[in-house]
């Protein structure tokens, strides 16, 4: 039985006291998020995520990777990505192709719409409306994006193969030259800031279908077509990681982008073990994940960073690793975390101009 006199007071064991969330004291998002870090449950994880992201961004030795999945651009989160790129929070983006395709729609000044729940999906199809949860993408928008993509493909005729990051660079260049300055977009910002954008599951996207259509056209005309080089993406990303002193990861959702980004650690490890040269031991020093999926469902999107430690992907906290996991809808937590860090960087005189660590692809 425990004796009352033997009870500890918390502070003596280094425990951090919590504090009530006093909204009357907060004038900025940064202040609010800092207050949330002294609360419990989801609020604390949001506050901790902002701390990790800030450390990641301020570490000049850190190569920072943003991974994206889910319908984030139709959900109007595209400019959050642009802000992260423009403020130097991102050195590479790994995404689904869908996010990039729908993001092109935004960049060209076209609209997505709220879904009217009284319109059934059969009617939506007949009217050229593609439903994404509670949002509508016009089929005509995607047809217009194919015209832009076709121009990009025509610009590389004669080239034997092309990677997704090369294609995304060229799309970004096309958008930067052909859209109004006020129309921001992910690929446009990535091109202007020299940030590579990889789409590892390229064929699983509107961009992949457009690529397939273009190749079919070329074959029917008896002309040389361009092959897609998925391993070119893998090797380019691997070389950038290998050349970096530290690594940071900011993940929205899960899926292929999340694992493709993280598997570079085991890849470099087995290169060294099985080939004997060209590999190394690299782990992510910082990591933030915003995803509502729990681990007990058994899917990779619910895989914790602690589990990633066992694979040699994440540096454990005991060795200096910093990571935070927010179990939340990204459209709620993500903008709050990023805005809080933007305010903190601005208060320190941060210019918002990233180091141009990327390089133009050799096309």
């Amino acid at each position: 039985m425990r004796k009352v006199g033997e009870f500890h007071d918390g502070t003596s064991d280094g425990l951090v006291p919590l504090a009530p969330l006093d909204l009357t004291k907060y004038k900025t998002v940064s202040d609010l998020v800092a207050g949330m870090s002294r609360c419990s449950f989801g609020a604390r994880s949001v506050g901790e995520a902002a701390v990790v992201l800030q450390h990641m961004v301020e570490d000049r030795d850190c190569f920072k990777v943003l991974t994206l999945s889910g319908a984030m651009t139709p959900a109007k989160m595209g400019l959050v990505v642009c802000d992260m790129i423009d403020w130097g929070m991102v050195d590479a983006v790994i995404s689904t192709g869908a996010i990039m395709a729908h993001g092109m729609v935004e960049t060209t000044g076209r609209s997505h719409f709220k879904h009217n729940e009284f319109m059934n999906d059969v009617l939506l199809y007949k009217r050229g409306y593609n439903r994404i949860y509670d949002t509508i993408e016009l089929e005509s928008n995607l047809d217009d994006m194919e015209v832009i993509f076709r121009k990009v493909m025509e610009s590389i005729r004669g080239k034997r193969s092309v990677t997704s990051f090369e294609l995304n660079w060229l799309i970004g260049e096309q958008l930067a030259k052909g859209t109004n300055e006020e129309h921001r977009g992910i690929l446009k910002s990535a091109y202007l800031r020299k940030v590579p954008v990889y789409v590892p599951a390229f064929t699983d996207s509107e961009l992949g279908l457009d690529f397939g259509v273009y190749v079919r056209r070329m074959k029917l005309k008896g002309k040389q077509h361009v092959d897609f080089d998925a391993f070119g993406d893998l090797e380019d990303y691997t070389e950038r990681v290998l050349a970096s002193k530290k690594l940071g990861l900011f993940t929205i959702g899960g899926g292929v982008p999340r694992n493709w980004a993280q598997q570079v650690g085991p890849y470099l490890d087995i290169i060294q073990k099985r080939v004997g040269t060209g590999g190394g031991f690299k782990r992510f020093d910082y990591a933030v994940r915003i995803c509502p999926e729990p681990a007990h469902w058994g899917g990779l999107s619910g895989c914790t960073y602690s589990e990633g430690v066992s694979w040699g992907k994440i540096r454990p906290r005991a060795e200096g690793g910093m990571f935070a996991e927010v179990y939340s809808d990204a459209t709620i937590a993500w903008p709050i975390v990023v805005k809080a860090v933007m305010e903190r960087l601005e208060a320190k005189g941060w210019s918002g101009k990233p180091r141009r660590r990327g390089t133009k692809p050799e096309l």
Side-chain angles (χ1 to χ4, degrees):
M1 179 182 295
R2 294 185 298 181
K3 298 180 180 179
V4 176
E6 296 177 350
F7 288 177
H8 291 203
D9 63 1
T11 304
S12 60
D13 289 317
L15 301 183
V16 178
L18 301 181
L21 194 66
D22 188 348
L23 297 179
T24 64
K25 293 182 178 180
Y26 308 133
K27 299 185 182 301
T28 67
V29 175
S30 174
D31 290 342
L32 173 63
V33 170
M36 291 168 69
S37 70
R38 300 281 299 275
C39 297
S40 299
F41 314 137
R44 187 189 303 171
S45 67
V46 167
E48 291 174 345
V51 171
V52 176
L53 177 59
Q54 183 179 353
H55 276 79
M56 185 192 311
V57 175
E58 291 181 339
D59 189 337
R60 295 288 180 175
D61 291 329
C62 184
F63 181 77
K64 303 170 295 298
V65 180
L66 171 66
T67 81
L68 302 168
S69 63
M72 292 297 104
T73 39
K76 303 294 109 182
M77 295 292 110
L79 294 189
V80 179
V81 181
C82 292
D83 284 333
M84 293 187 75
I85 292 172
D86 293 340
W87 278 72
M89 300 182 189
V90 179
D91 296 311
V93 176
I94 301 170
S95 174
T96 64
I99 289 176
M100 296 301 115
H102 296 303
M104 290 170 64
V105 170
E106 284 187 332
T107 315
T108 56
R110 291 165 174 79
S111 298
H112 297 103
F113 296 85
K114 288 184 179 181
H115 169 53
N116 184 332
E117 62 182 7
F118 297 105
M119 297 177 69
N120 66 44
D121 291 298
V122 174
L123 180 60
L124 293 179
Y125 174 77
K126 291 180 178 179
R127 295 186 178 181
Y129 295 157
N130 302 307
R131 183 166 67 88
I132 309 168
Y133 305 109
D134 60 356
T135 302
I136 297 296
E137 173 73 274
L138 306 184
E139 183 67 19
S140 60
N141 285 346
L142 301 178
D143 288 340
D144 292 342
M145 296 310 102
E146 190 272 337
V147 174
I148 296 174
F149 187 82
R150 197 187 318 164
K151 290 180 181 178
V152 169
M153 293 298 292
E154 285 293 324
S155 73
I156 57 172
R157 280 184 61 181
K159 185 174 173 63
R160 297 190 63 178
S161 64
V162 66
T163 64
S164 72
F165 88 92
E166 290 171 330
L167 283 171
N168 285 325
W169 173 277
L170 292 170
I171 295 171
E173 182 179 37
Q174 186 76 27
L175 293 172
K177 293 177 178 178
T179 61
N180 296 330
E181 187 174 342
E182 66 268 20
H183 291 149
R184 301 166 67 201
I186 299 172
L187 291 179
K188 185 175 179 179
S189 287
Y191 166 76
L192 294 172
R193 300 297 187 182
K194 293 184 171 63
V195 171
V197 179
Y198 305 94
V199 177
F202 183 75
T203 56
D204 182 25
S205 69
E206 193 74 25
L207 294 178
L209 300 184
D210 290 344
F211 189 99
V213 166
Y214 182 84
V215 169
R216 284 174 177 266
R217 284 199 186 106
M218 292 299 101
K219 287 182 177 180
L220 287 173
K221 294 177 181 179
K223 296 182 179 180
Q224 179 183 346
H225 65 275
V226 180
D227 291 323
F228 182 72
D229 182 10
F231 284 98
D233 281 321
L234 176 62
E235 294 306 322
D236 183 84
Y237 174 60
T238 301
E239 289 303 312
R240 293 176 194 266
V241 168
L242 188 58
S244 302
K245 292 182 180 179
K246 289 185 178 180
L247 297 174
L249 183 68
F250 193 98
T251 289
I252 299 299
V256 171
R258 169 199 169 129
N259 192 64
W260 195 85
Q262 293 183 177
Q263 73 175 1
V264 69
Y267 183 46
L268 285 167
D269 190 23
I270 62 176
I271 287 173
Q272 197 63 32
K273 290 178 180 177
R274 299 173 187 176
V275 180
T277 184
F281 185 54
K282 306 286 288 190
R283 296 178 293 181
F284 284 93
D285 302 274
Y286 308 96
V288 174
R289 178 173 72 107
I290 302 177
C291 178
E293 189 170 353
H296 63 258
W297 285 350
L300 183 60
S301 295
C303 167
T304 63
Y305 283 139
S306 178
E307 183 177 318
V309 169
S310 74
W311 285 86
K313 299 175 180 179
I314 307 294
R315 185 178 301 281
R317 288 194 175 106
E319 297 179 17
M322 291 183 67
F323 50 88
E325 297 177 274
V326 184
Y327 292 91
S328 172
D329 180 337
T331 63
I332 299 171
W334 182 19
I336 295 172
V337 170
V338 172
K339 182 61 176 176
V341 174
M342 288 171 64
E343 289 178 353
R344 293 172 191 180
L345 295 175
E346 189 173 29
K348 292 186 174 185
W350 192 270
S351 66
K353 296 179 181 179
R355 306 175 308 289
R356 292 177 175 255
R357 301 181 63 163
T359 55
K360 179 179 178 180
E362 296 296 330
L363 300 172

